[in-house]
Amino acid sequence: QLQLVESGGGLVQPGGSLRLSCTASGENLDDYTIGWFRQAPGKEREGVSCVSSARSATHYADSVRGRFTISRDSAKNTVYLQMNNLKPDDTGIYYCAAPPKFPYALCSLPESEYDYWGQGTQVTVSS
């Protein structure tokens, strides 16, 4: 059973940066497609970014493209989400998630395909 753990959230001023981490124990994250999702207060959860298992192809939501970067560090068994030029609309709980182990070439999967979820980390962008 894949268990994901997020960290790195916090309070940051508009224009600031944060780096979120998604780690796992007992499983190699390189074998999994990993997605980052977020949920703002009173809103539905939305996909932010993802990286595929087979080719490390990436995808970004239009709202974060050019500001966020997803990456893998195989040595640390970690997937990062670097978030720059943060805006108040980026506020929310950020989750990393994974579908079942499979060599996906692309990562733009429906949220329903993601079976494994972390507990989330809070990101607050406010002055």
Side-chain angles (χ1 to χ4, degrees):
Q1 180 87 3
L2 178 65
Q3 293 184 321
L4 301 172
V5 178
E6 305 95 335
S7 61
L11 172 64
V12 64
Q13 292 185 343
S17 298
L18 284 174
R19 188 178 74 166
L20 305 183
S21 300
C22 175
T23 61
S25 58
E27 293 275 356
N28 185 351
L29 282 187
D30 286 351
D31 294 334
Y32 290 86
T33 287
I34 300 295
W36 282 99
F37 296 79
R38 67 186 180 189
Q39 187 164 22
K43 295 186 177 181
E44 292 189 356
R45 189 163 56 194
E46 62 175 348
V48 174
S49 182
C50 59
V51 57
S52 72
S53 48
R55 299 189 293 121
S56 288
T58 58
H59 177 76
Y60 298 93
D62 289 343
S63 59
V64 306
R65 187 173 292 114
R67 300 188 297 122
F68 290 11
T69 303
I70 191 170
S71 62
R72 293 185 184 271
D73 186 332
S74 299
K76 295 183 178 180
N77 203 31
T78 300
V79 174
Y80 297 107
L81 185 67
Q82 177 68 43
M83 307 186 296
N84 298 328
N85 190 22
L86 283 161
K87 304 175 181 181
D89 284 349
D90 295 318
T91 294
I93 301 174
Y94 282 68
Y95 302 89
C96 68
K101 186 187 299 185
F102 184 81
Y104 292 101
L106 301 176
C107 65
S108 301
L109 305 173
E111 185 176 322
S112 59
E113 295 293 316
Y114 285 81
D115 286 351
Y116 306 103
W117 293 81
Q119 81 290 348
T121 185
Q122 177 70 46
V123 171
T124 304
V125 185
S126 175
S127 55

